[in-house]
Each structure stands twice: as structure tokens, then as C-alpha cells.
Amino acid sequence: MSVIAARASAAVVAAKAATQAIPIVFSVGDDPVKLGLVASLARPGGNLTGVNFFAGELVAKRLELLRELVPAATRVVVLVNPAGPAAKITLTEVEGAARARGLQIRVLNASTSREIDAAFATLVRERPDALLVGGDPFFTGPAR
């Protein structure tokens, strides 16, 4: 028996589009219902099942923890990969959470090593109070 294992939202969406017969096991940070992968968390249906890490829901908590670690922080830079599947969710969640905490957010985008270098040059120049790095595999995976 064949099984497809996928861990990034884009890969899972592609696998779902490719087959309705082969079982697909996934791990994603986004809501699989919102992504259209499963009908519901309780009853996924179809040929997909997996784990959701609730990355979007954790963005506000990460910002809260950052504020506890650096209570005087008011200017926070958020580093995201605009090409990544979690960028839109991260930005939506962080903007709402920042407003509720009275924080100023500056977004820096990076999807290449060169853009990461440019982002860190901006950090050195602007000297924000804190940095929140998005949970994209580009930032947490092997060095490029």
C-alpha cells in the first residue's frame, strides 16, 4: 500500500490535487479546514489526515511571551517569508495581537539568503526593541 507524507501546506495541497485514492498524512501549521484539506478536525473525511500545529493561533502567544521577556519593548520587527504558506496568517495574527498590546510592528520580508542579510542590516540600522521570526521552514530548516 502506498502513502504520501507531506509536511508543508503547499505540498499537502498539491498532493490532495494529485490523488483521491492514495492516503495522505500531513503535518501543517495552518488550519487544515481553512486550507480546504479536510472537512473538519473531528471528521476529516477523504484520503487526508494529519497533525495541525496551530501556528496561526500561536503567533499571539509568541508575541505575548516576547513582551514578557522584554517588557519595555514597543517596537517589534516581524521577519516573515512572503513566499511561505504561513506569512499571511502570521501577519494577520500578529497585527491584531500587537494592536491589543500597544506595540508598533515593522514587517521585514526574506525568502532568500540575500534578503535575510538585508533584513539584518535593517535591524542593525533601525534598532527595534525586539524581533519575532515567523515559523516558516525557510527560517527553521537547514542553512541555505
Coordinates of all heavy atoms in Angstrom, one line a residue, residues 63-64 66-67 70-76 94-95 97-105:
L63 N 4.0 36.5 20.7 CA 4.1 37.9 20.9 C 4.0 38.2 22.4 O 4.7 39.1 22.9 CB 3.2 38.7 20.0 CG 3.4 40.2 19.9 CD1 4.7 40.5 19.4 CD2 2.3 40.8 19.0
E64 N 3.0 37.6 23.0 CA 2.8 37.8 24.5 C 4.1 37.4 25.2 O 4.5 38.1 26.2 CB 1.6 37.0 24.9 CG 1.3 37.1 26.4 CD 0.1 36.3 26.7 OE1 -0.8 36.1 25.9 OE2 0.0 35.8 27.9
L66 N 7.1 37.2 24.1 CA 8.2 38.2 23.8 C 8.0 39.4 24.6 O 9.0 40.0 25.2 CB 8.1 38.6 22.3 CG 9.1 39.6 21.8 CD1 10.5 38.9 21.7 CD2 8.7 40.0 20.4
R67 N 6.8 39.9 24.8 CA 6.5 41.1 25.7 C 6.9 40.8 27.1 O 7.4 41.7 27.8 CB 5.0 41.4 25.5 CG 4.7 42.8 26.2 CD 5.4 43.9 25.5 NE 5.3 45.2 26.1 CZ 4.3 46.0 25.8 NH1 3.4 45.8 25.0 NH2 4.3 47.2 26.5
V70 N 10.7 41.0 27.2 CA 11.2 42.3 27.0 C 10.0 43.3 27.3 O 9.4 43.8 26.4 CB 11.8 42.5 25.6 CG1 12.5 43.9 25.5 CG2 12.7 41.4 25.2
P71 N 9.7 43.5 28.6 CA 8.5 44.3 28.9 C 8.5 45.7 28.4 O 7.5 46.3 28.1 CB 8.5 44.3 30.5 CG 9.6 43.4 30.9 CD 10.4 43.0 29.8
A72 N 9.7 46.3 28.2 CA 9.8 47.7 27.7 C 9.7 47.8 26.2 O 9.6 48.9 25.7 CB 11.1 48.3 28.2
A73 N 9.6 46.7 25.5 CA 9.5 46.7 24.1 C 8.2 47.3 23.6 O 7.1 47.0 24.0 CB 9.6 45.2 23.5
T74 N 8.4 48.2 22.6 CA 7.2 48.8 22.0 C 7.3 48.7 20.5 O 6.3 48.7 19.8 CB 7.1 50.3 22.3 OG1 8.3 51.0 22.0 CG2 6.8 50.5 23.8
R75 N 8.6 48.6 19.9 CA 8.8 48.5 18.5 C 9.3 47.1 18.2 O 10.4 46.7 18.6 CB 9.8 49.5 18.0 CG 9.4 50.9 18.2 CD 10.4 52.0 17.7 NE 11.7 51.7 18.2 CZ 12.8 51.4 17.5 NH1 12.7 51.4 16.2 NH2 14.0 51.2 18.0
V76 N 8.5 46.3 17.5 CA 8.9 44.9 17.2 C 8.9 44.7 15.7 O 8.0 45.1 15.0 CB 7.8 43.9 17.9 CG1 8.1 42.5 17.5 CG2 7.7 44.2 19.4
V94 N -0.4 38.6 14.0 CA 0.5 39.5 14.8 C 0.0 40.9 14.8 O 0.1 41.6 15.8 CB 1.9 39.4 14.3 CG1 2.2 40.3 13.0 CG2 2.9 39.7 15.3
E95 N -0.7 41.4 13.7 CA -1.2 42.7 13.7 C -2.3 42.9 14.7 O -2.3 43.9 15.5 CB -1.7 43.1 12.3 CG -0.5 43.3 11.3 CD -1.0 43.4 9.9 OE1 -2.2 43.3 9.6 OE2 -0.1 43.6 9.0
A97 N -2.8 41.1 17.5 CA -2.2 40.9 18.8 C -1.3 42.1 19.2 O -1.3 42.6 20.4 CB -1.3 39.7 18.9
A98 N -0.6 42.7 18.2 CA 0.2 43.9 18.5 C -0.7 45.1 18.9 O -0.4 45.8 19.8 CB 1.1 44.2 17.3
R99 N -1.8 45.3 18.1 CA -2.7 46.4 18.4 C -3.2 46.2 19.9 O -3.3 47.2 20.6 CB -3.9 46.3 17.5 CG -3.9 47.5 16.5 CD -5.2 47.6 15.7 NE -5.8 46.3 15.3 CZ -5.5 45.6 14.2 NH1 -4.6 46.1 13.4 NH2 -6.1 44.5 14.0
A100 N -3.6 45.0 20.3 CA -4.2 44.8 21.6 C -3.1 45.1 22.7 O -3.5 45.4 23.8 CB -4.6 43.4 21.7
R101 N -1.8 45.0 22.4 CA -0.8 45.2 23.4 C -0.1 46.6 23.2 O 0.9 46.9 23.9 CB 0.2 44.1 23.3 CG -0.3 42.8 23.8 CD 0.5 41.6 23.4 NE 0.0 40.4 23.9 CZ -1.1 39.7 23.3 NH1 -1.7 40.2 22.3 NH2 -1.5 38.6 23.9
G102 N -0.6 47.4 22.3 CA 0.0 48.7 22.0 C 1.4 48.7 21.4 O 2.2 49.6 21.7
L103 N 1.7 47.7 20.6 CA 3.0 47.5 20.0 C 3.0 48.1 18.6 O 2.0 47.9 17.9 CB 3.4 46.1 20.0 CG 3.6 45.4 21.4 CD1 3.9 43.9 21.2 CD2 4.7 46.0 22.2
Q104 N 4.1 48.6 18.2 CA 4.3 49.0 16.8 C 5.0 47.9 16.1 O 6.1 47.4 16.5 CB 5.2 50.3 16.7 CG 4.7 51.5 17.4 CD 5.7 52.6 17.4 OE1 6.8 52.5 16.9 NE2 5.4 53.6 18.1
I105 N 4.5 47.5 14.9 CA 5.0 46.3 14.2 C 5.7 46.8 12.9 O 5.1 47.6 12.2 CB 4.0 45.3 13.9 CG1 3.4 44.7 15.1 CG2 4.5 44.2 12.9 CD1 4.4 43.9 15.9

